[in-house]
Amino acid sequence: MSIFSYNGAAIVAMAGKECVAIGSDLRFGVQLQTITCDTPKVFKVHDKLYLGLSGLQTDAQTLYQKLMFRHNMYKLREERDMKPSTFSNMLSNALYERRFGPYFAAPVVAGLEPDGTPFLSGMDTIGAVETAKDFMITGTSPDSLYGMCESMWRPDMEPDELFETVAQCLMSGSDRDALAGWGAVIHVITKDKVISRTLKTRMD
Amino acid sequence: MDVSRGASHAEAAPSTGTTIVACTYKGGVVLGADGRVSIGNYITNRASNKIAPLAEYIFLCRSGSAPDTQIISDNVRHYLDQISAESGEEPTVEMAANLVRLINYNNKDHLVGAMLVVGWDRHGGGQVYGAPIGGTLSKEKWAIDGSGSTYIWGYCDSEFKDDMTREEAEHWVMEAIALAMTRDASSGGVIRLVTLDGRGAHHTYISGDKVPQFVGDLPFPAGASPAPFGAPAAQQQQQQAAEAGMVIG
């Protein structure tokens, strides 16, 4: 049994026209037992930057707390929020610091740069970064999620259409995954607001 | 057992981590199963049929290793066919249950099959036999097995009544399976029921969207604006909550 499939997760992030959306499932389980269905795996860093973390949930939560500490210190010194690209770099560095005893978490960074351009990046457990202009996924069923995103993504989607696309990819992708699902939450980030919606999905 | 949780499709065996439920009622028996087959955490079949016919009015609910239980059901069906050809009579449920149990017991080092043998015959009416891994056989008023059964022992114990009507029994079986599907990751998909009342075998198929749901309207997740981790303020949470809506998936 892999340490990465101990808890289970499905995270999808996509870029649209001057907006990004990121969503995750809500299941929290221990191997095959489901404990709760109100545990999102995407966390807010600031108004224009969200972070999704799959993998071992204890490491995901700890990593998030450490990153918030680093971001808060940055805000105190710089008196501004961190750009998504900078945050992504910092996260990669934080993960590689633990190269030989890593955090078992795979992150996805989604946000809007100060000039409004969407930013998406994803990493493996030791911080190898890949940026993308279309979508980024992570979770216990990557093949299903990739398949859905690859076929449904189109460039320059407006926020509402982007929400629908992320929702369908996330739901169909996690319906074939025994360890992910039980509801979903999706955040759509535009330049003046964030709209968060909870989805009712199959609860099996 | 750990092999079946393997990461890659090539090395892992398919498993019907499952919920199977059967009970007697006044006049017959009801048996039911979920529909999920998985390899590791990938769901290979989301609407499989885990109820195998052994004879016209005898059925086998399968859980455990998918290939093992398929072979057992094929073999027992063949034996029962031969026996009834030689004796000229319909096979009894007790005979079918013993055949399943003997295969389980004599090959206990190699087979992983937890099954329920459920049927109706002229001599004993509706009967339910549990045939778990290892080769036990037990005749019961009701039986459950599979990985999802662990979550519903309490429900089954408290809700089962002697001499239920057909509708009550079907509802009991269906609700037990639906509850298990909610909690067990390796059970899900659809529910299949078979009712045997001496007049025939009545099959019911309950598709995924018609399965009863036991989690109410979801509140906005507590951790989404992560208050426990000490970051954003309550007012931002309220603003987000005001814009959030429930979307039916």
Side-chain angles (χ1 to χ4, degrees):
Chain A
M1 183 231 42
S2 164
I3 191 76
F4 290 101
S5 48
Y6 187 74
N7 294 126
I11 297 170
V12 173
M14 279 192 181
K17 196 175 169 71
E18 287 163 11
C19 57
V20 277
I22 181 166
S24 80
D25 70 315
L26 293 177
R27 178 181 181 268
F28 172 65
V30 168
Q31 293 188 299
L32 291 175
Q33 180 176 22
T34 304
I35 315 269
T36 73
C37 30
D38 64 357
T39 312
K41 299 169 195 74
V42 282
F43 307 100
K44 177 171 155 168
V45 179
H46 62 74
D47 280 333
K48 301 238 171 28
L49 175 54
Y50 275 66
L51 171 67
L53 286 163
S54 76
L56 193 63
Q57 277 302 294
T58 176
D59 278 358
Q61 289 177 11
T62 303
L63 189 58
Y64 171 72
Q65 289 168 7
K66 286 184 180 269
L67 289 169
M68 283 313 288
F69 171 70
R70 288 211 199 189
H71 182 248
N72 287 338
M73 293 306 292
Y74 183 93
K75 267 180 29 176
L76 286 170
R77 292 176 185 134
E78 299 269 328
E79 293 176 11
R80 63 185 173 94
D81 283 327
M82 222 189 247
K83 281 197 307 215
S85 47
T86 311
F87 185 86
S88 174
N89 219 337
M90 176 190 76
L91 173 50
S92 163
N93 189 259
L95 290 172
Y96 198 80
E97 269 182 343
R98 291 277 167 266
R99 170 64 178 85
F100 297 108
Y103 291 111
F104 296 117
V108 166
V109 177
L112 293 175
E113 293 279 280
D115 63 356
T117 343
F119 178 86
L120 288 177
S121 76
M123 269 158 256
D124 68 357
T125 186
I126 44 176
V129 194
E130 282 298 329
T131 49
K133 292 198 181 355
D134 43 15
F135 55 84
M136 258 301 157
I137 61 107
T138 177
T140 36
S141 214
D143 294 349
S144 296
L145 296 170
Y146 276 130
M148 285 305 300
C149 291
E150 201 67 68
S151 35
M152 305 207 77
W153 185 84
R154 282 173 303 109
D156 291 327
M157 284 188 277
E158 295 292 331
D160 286 337
E161 206 189 340
L162 187 64
F163 163 74
E164 282 299 331
T165 312
V166 171
Q168 290 303 320
C169 290
L170 191 52
M171 284 192 334
S172 294
S174 52
D175 275 352
R176 276 283 176 175
D177 185 356
L179 301 177
W182 277 267
V185 66
I186 299 185
H187 307 280
V188 184
I189 307 154
T190 55
K191 69 176 185 332
D192 39 30
K193 62 183 174 190
V194 176
I195 306 175
S196 306
R197 296 178 182 92
T198 319
L199 306 192
K200 215 168 187 161
T201 67
R202 306 174 61 105
M203 306 296 273
D204 61 4
Chain B
M1 283 289 241
D2 272 336
V3 172
S4 69
R5 298 282 150 233
S8 102
H9 293 200
E11 49 203 46
S15 140
T16 47
T18 282
T19 310
I20 48 180
V21 177
C23 76
T24 52
Y25 70 92
K26 194 176 172 67
V29 279
V30 182
L31 53 136
D34 76 302
R36 181 169 288 184
V37 180
S38 43
I39 296 187
N41 63 298
Y42 179 66
I43 301 167
T44 49
N45 191 343
R46 60 189 177 98
S48 77
N49 189 355
K50 302 181 188 181
I51 300 175
L54 298 179
E56 199 181 351
Y57 297 121
I58 308 178
F59 289 84
L60 182 74
C61 296
R62 307 186 292 112
S63 84
S65 152
D68 285 354
T69 54
Q70 284 177 359
I71 291 288
I72 291 171
S73 106
D74 289 347
N75 272 297
V76 172
R77 182 162 47 245
H78 173 67
Y79 290 141
L80 287 180
D81 219 19
Q82 268 191 324
I83 289 169
S84 59
E86 286 170 15
S87 71
E89 284 187 358
E90 285 301 303
T92 60
V93 187
E94 188 179 359
M95 205 183 290
N98 273 291
L99 284 167
V100 171
R101 180 261 303 214
L102 284 170
I103 297 180
N104 260 349
Y105 183 76
N106 289 323
N107 299 288
K108 65 163 74 188
D109 294 338
H110 304 111
L111 295 177
V112 180
M115 294 160 285
L116 305 178
V117 183
V118 189
W120 191 97
D121 62 38
R122 281 179 304 131
H123 310 286
Q127 295 149 74
V128 170
Y129 291 84
I133 299 167
T136 317
L137 184 65
S138 57
K139 183 170 189 291
E140 317 266 9
K141 286 183 188 163
W142 58 269
I144 59 178
D145 214 331
S147 57
S149 68
T150 54
Y151 302 100
I152 50 174
W153 284 102
Y155 172 84
C156 292
D157 275 327
S158 64
E159 294 299 311
F160 179 78
K161 296 190 293 291
D162 286 320
D163 294 327
M164 289 189 280
T165 63
R166 175 179 163 174
E167 286 71 34
E168 284 174 335
E170 285 176 349
H171 181 258
W172 182 87
V173 171
M174 182 191 67
E175 205 164 65
I177 297 176
L179 283 165
M181 278 163 52
T182 306
R183 283 285 174 181
D184 180 31
S186 49
S187 301
V190 303
I191 298 180
R192 294 185 195 270
L193 297 178
V194 177
T195 307
L196 303 165
D197 58 5
R199 286 191 292 278
H202 313 279
H203 295 259
T204 313
Y205 168 75
I206 300 163
S207 63
D209 52 345
K210 305 274 191 305
V211 171
Q213 299 292 298
F214 294 99
V215 186
D217 268 31
L218 300 176
F220 197 74
S225 263
F229 305 141
Q235 71 202 66
Q236 276 173 324
Q237 206 164 5
Q238 276 165 19
Q239 180 206 356
Q240 282 186 338
E243 285 159 354
M246 283 293 287
V247 177
I248 307 294

